[in-house]
Amino acid sequence: MGLDRPRRPARVSGQWPALALAIAVHVVFIAVLVFSLRWQNRKPEPVIAELYAPATKGATAEPVEAKPSPAPETPPPAPTPPTPPEPAPEPKPAPLPKPLPKPEPKAEKPPDTRAADIARKTKEEEERKKREQQAQREQAQREKVEREKREAEQREAEKKKQSEQRRVAETRERQQREADALKAQAERERSTRAAQQADAAAAARAEADYIRRIQAKIKGNVVLPPDLAGSPEAIFEVVQLPTGEIIDAVLRKSSGVRAYDDAVQRAIIKSSPLPRPDRPELFQRTLTLKFRPLD
């Protein structure tokens, strides 16, 4: 730390210009007074003139002495100018402050660096703490960013997992629905086939019963020939109306015995009208009937 030096007194601003201006004003005022007095006291100067007569023939011109002009009257004395007022005394400049005596130089002691070292160490410690705090803040910020990034990745992974689970569940549900639909369709087809088979069986039974009743009626009207041997088969095609009335009976396959074929044909014509089926849909306009004598 440096030694305290004595402070010099502050100078009064504008002191010297004011003093110079006051002196110049007084000088100009005195010069004006002196010039005016000299101009009023100046005396008039006399005027001298020489006169000459005109020259004649044979005569020599003589100079004419000029008479001195009478002295001008002395003008009355000029009035005494009033005595100018005495100039105001010039203001004395303010005395300058005496400079303080310079302190005697003292023997300089070696500067004490302990305070500077302490201040430097304190400053370094503060800077170190600031750097550590800044590093901690940066580390905390990085950790926060990484944590938020991990959380975002976890949320995204969870969303993907949930979406995958929903997709799998929807796929399974769709497959189950399709399987159920296929199963129901197969069940319906089985039921339909079973119903159709049942209907077909029932229809077949009804048709067979219908044919048997027709055949039984016709057989009851057949008169077998006496010399018929064995059990030959004759096949006839019978055309009928919905009422059972027979329109025609045509032999499609002969039994080989003409008498038997004719006996069956007569029996068919005699059996008109034929029995009608229990179900209208079983009616057949054209029937193919087989006949054997021993059936």
Side-chain angles (χ1 to χ4, degrees):
M1 298 176 63
L3 298 176
D4 296 335
R5 295 181 180 179
R7 298 182 179 178
R8 295 180 179 180
R11 296 181 178 179
V12 179
S13 60
Q15 178 180 3
W16 292 109
L19 181 60
L21 181 60
I23 293 173
V25 169
H26 286 80
V27 170
V28 170
F29 183 70
I30 293 171
V32 169
L33 291 178
V34 172
F35 179 76
S36 63
L37 291 176
R38 290 181 62 186
W39 178 76
Q40 292 179 0
N41 294 332
R42 186 174 58 183
K43 296 179 179 181
E45 295 179 358
V47 178
I48 300 173
E50 294 181 359
L51 300 177
Y52 295 90
T56 60
K57 294 180 178 181
T60 305
E62 294 180 0
V64 180
E65 294 182 1
K67 296 181 180 182
S69 59
E73 296 180 358
T74 302
T80 303
T83 304
E86 295 181 359
E90 297 179 0
K92 296 181 179 180
L96 298 176
K98 295 181 180 180
L100 297 175
K102 296 182 179 180
E104 296 179 359
K106 297 181 180 179
E108 295 183 356
K109 296 181 180 180
D112 190 0
T113 60
R114 289 179 296 176
D117 293 341
I118 293 173
R120 180 175 55 79
K121 290 180 180 180
T122 303
K123 185 176 181 181
E124 291 177 354
E125 184 68 19
E126 291 177 353
E127 292 178 354
R128 184 182 63 81
K129 289 181 178 180
K130 288 181 180 179
R131 288 195 298 270
E132 290 179 354
Q133 292 176 357
Q134 182 66 21
Q136 290 176 359
R137 286 194 294 270
E138 293 177 356
Q139 181 66 21
Q141 185 67 20
R142 287 194 296 270
E143 291 177 356
K144 180 180 179 181
V145 172
E146 292 177 358
R147 183 172 62 255
E148 291 178 352
K149 184 178 179 180
R150 287 195 301 270
E151 291 176 354
E153 291 176 354
Q154 291 177 358
R155 288 194 297 270
E156 187 66 22
E158 186 67 22
K159 288 181 180 179
K160 289 182 179 179
K161 184 177 179 181
Q162 293 177 358
S163 178
E164 185 67 19
Q165 290 177 354
R166 285 195 300 270
R167 187 181 64 81
V168 171
E170 290 175 356
T171 303
R172 290 178 179 176
E173 185 178 357
R174 185 176 65 255
Q175 292 176 353
Q176 185 65 32
R177 288 197 302 269
E178 292 176 355
D180 294 341
L182 292 174
K183 185 177 179 181
Q185 183 178 358
E187 187 66 25
R188 287 193 300 271
E189 290 177 356
R190 283 196 300 269
S191 300
T192 302
R193 285 196 300 269
Q196 291 176 353
Q197 291 174 359
D199 292 342
R205 288 192 300 269
E207 183 179 0
D209 183 67
Y210 172 53
I211 298 298
R212 280 195 301 270
R213 285 190 293 129
I214 292 173
Q215 288 176 342
K217 186 176 181 179
I218 293 173
K219 283 181 180 181
N221 294 322
V222 173
V223 178
L224 296 176
D227 55 350
L228 181 63
S231 181
E233 182 182 53
I235 300 175
F236 284 86
E237 186 176 277
V238 179
V239 180
Q240 64 173 344
L241 295 174
T243 58
E245 295 178 0
I246 296 173
I247 299 174
D248 193 9
V250 180
L251 179 64
R252 293 303 181 187
K253 180 181 178 183
S254 175
S255 63
V257 180
R258 178 66 180 273
Y260 180 70
D261 294 340
D262 294 341
V264 172
Q265 188 174 17
R266 287 192 299 270
I268 292 172
I269 299 301
K270 185 179 180 181
S271 299
S272 179
L274 297 174
R276 287 182 294 180
D278 298 334
R279 296 164 59 181
E281 66 271 11
L282 296 177
F283 172 78
Q284 298 179 14
R285 181 178 177 83
T286 302
L287 298 174
T288 301
L289 304 176
K290 296 177 181 181
F291 296 96
R292 288 181 180 181
L294 299 179
D295 290 344

